[in-house]
Amino acid sequence: MEFVLLGFSGVPHLRWFLFGLFLVIYIIILVSNGTIFLLSKIDPALQSPMYFFLASFSLLEICYVSVTLPRMLMDLGTQRRNISLLSCATQMFFLVIFGTTECLLLAVMAYDRYVAICNPLHYPVVMNHRVCMQLAIGAWTIGIPFQIEQIYQIFSLTFCGSKQINHFFCDVPPLLKLACGDTFISEMLLYVAAIVFVTIPFLLILGSYSKIISTILKLPSTTSQTKAFSTCSSHLIVVLLFFGSATISYLRPKNNQSEESGKVLSLFYTILTPMFNPMIYSLRNKDVISALKKVLCK
């Protein structure tokens, strides 16, 4: 059994334009995130916990976008668009795993900023290398058992109707619409995942930043306030871009018009956000720019 990813079939005249555009975006994502990852590993000035998590985040963005973009490029180039049941399940599994990891890792990065600004004297002790490794490994692995169960439940359903998935990749909501059996358990698992791995991390991030902003406003000098805000604003922008577009996409009304707008929103949080993230971090971070200049000079 196989499905058909409709993707950009509604605009065939833009096929090669979109192929070139997404190819350029993919190259930018690989180069920019790869550069930040390498700089964080080789430059002595970028060995703090903040850059450790930034390196992990850059690696995650490369993995996350590689789940969807190569397949989209192949579909645009060949116009075949068929995807086997196993390939669809594999793509969905890695998509939800990396999406879960991104939510958790953004929460971990917010906690790192909270400790650095609200408890600076205890920061080296609290965020030691062992703790950083545990937090990073936890963010990458904690959602795997739950997501395995979710994918198993979805692909245990019977798909006896249309095989056309009105999306660019195998995502959970459009696939559940094609199921003929009872989807109650799968839908409940989807809601539980949304609460545990999206809503709770987002609330933790908001709680961390409410404490951070309160602490920053109490700093005696304007220079200290500006520096602290500059350190946190990049991460906060990334959080709002990712959670905002993903939340709107999954909570949109279920009608035909919203399906098309949902596909555009999914492009934003799966492709455009990973492209913008390195620009947000590097262009606003003097340490990263300095490390890049040193590498280029060498």
Side-chain angles (χ1 to χ4, degrees):
M1 183 181 176
E2 59 183 14
F3 297 104
V4 178
L5 293 168
L6 295 182
F8 298 97
S9 58
V11 285
H13 56 287
L14 296 177
R15 170 189 169 190
W16 290 113
F17 168 76
L18 292 172
F19 180 88
L21 176 63
F22 288 128
L23 180 60
V24 170
I25 289 176
Y26 189 43
I27 293 172
I28 291 173
I29 291 172
L30 293 180
V31 172
S32 57
N33 283 284
T35 300
I36 291 180
F37 178 81
L38 292 175
L39 288 176
S40 300
K41 295 300 179 183
I42 65 176
D43 193 284
L46 304 182
Q47 301 306 308
S48 66
M50 182 177 75
Y51 295 108
F52 171 81
F53 292 124
L54 182 56
S56 182
F57 188 71
S58 297
L59 178 62
L60 172 64
E61 294 291 53
I62 292 174
C63 296
Y64 190 42
V65 78
S66 295
V67 175
T68 56
L69 250 181
R71 175 75 205 194
M72 288 170 58
L73 291 171
M74 186 181 73
D75 290 345
L76 284 168
T78 63
Q79 289 289 285
R80 293 178 63 178
R81 294 201 296 272
N82 289 4
I83 183 169
S84 68
L85 188 71
L86 179 60
S87 297
C88 187
T90 303
Q91 185 185 54
M92 184 183 293
F93 172 74
F94 283 107
L95 186 73
V96 295
I97 285 296
F98 292 143
T100 298
T101 302
E102 182 146 352
C103 294
L104 296 175
L105 196 55
L106 286 171
V108 168
M109 294 168 76
Y111 174 71
D112 172 69
R113 292 298 84 207
Y114 162 76
V115 177
I117 293 175
C118 299
N119 296 289
L121 297 178
H122 296 94
Y123 182 67
V125 178
V126 175
M127 299 301 293
N128 58 62
H129 182 71
R130 182 168 171 267
V131 171
C132 290
M133 287 294 296
Q134 290 174 341
L135 289 172
I137 293 172
W140 279 86
T141 60
I142 197 170
I144 291 178
F146 182 88
Q147 299 300 356
I148 289 176
E149 175 63 23
Q150 183 180 19
I151 300 302
Y152 173 77
Q153 288 293 335
I154 291 172
F155 285 90
S156 296
L157 297 170
T158 302
F159 300 95
C160 55
S162 172
K163 297 180 181 179
Q164 295 183 338
I165 301 176
N166 190 17
H167 217 293
F168 311 108
F169 50 84
C170 287
D171 202 6
V172 177
L175 195 62
L176 287 179
K177 292 181 181 180
L178 305 182
C180 301
D182 185 8
T183 61
F184 177 78
I185 295 178
S186 296
E187 290 177 352
M188 286 300 101
L189 287 175
L190 180 61
Y191 292 136
V192 171
I195 292 172
V196 175
F197 299 118
V198 180
T199 306
I200 292 178
F202 185 63
L203 291 176
L204 291 174
I205 292 170
L206 291 181
S208 297
Y209 273 98
S210 65
K211 291 284 188 180
I212 289 170
I213 292 172
S214 175
T215 302
I216 290 175
L217 293 176
K218 294 177 183 178
L219 293 176
S221 67
T222 306
T223 304
S224 300
Q225 291 180 352
T226 303
K227 184 178 180 180
F229 271 121
S230 178
T231 304
C232 299
S233 58
S234 298
H235 179 252
L236 194 56
I237 291 171
V238 172
V239 167
L240 294 176
L241 284 174
F242 179 77
F243 280 97
S245 57
T247 301
I248 294 172
S249 179
Y250 280 94
L251 296 180
R252 67 189 186 278
K254 295 182 178 180
N255 53 57
N256 292 331
Q257 184 178 0
S258 67
E259 284 185 359
E260 298 303 319
S261 61
K263 289 198 290 186
V264 176
L265 283 169
S266 67
L267 281 178
F268 196 89
Y269 69 82
T270 58
I271 296 175
L272 295 183
T273 303
M275 182 180 69
F276 290 142
N277 288 348
M279 301 178 189
I280 293 171
Y281 278 117
S282 60
L283 293 178
R284 297 172 57 85
N285 192 303
K286 294 180 180 179
D287 292 336
V288 174
I289 294 174
S290 176
L292 182 59
K293 287 179 179 179
K294 285 192 290 184
V295 171
L296 293 177
C297 289
K298 289 180 182 180

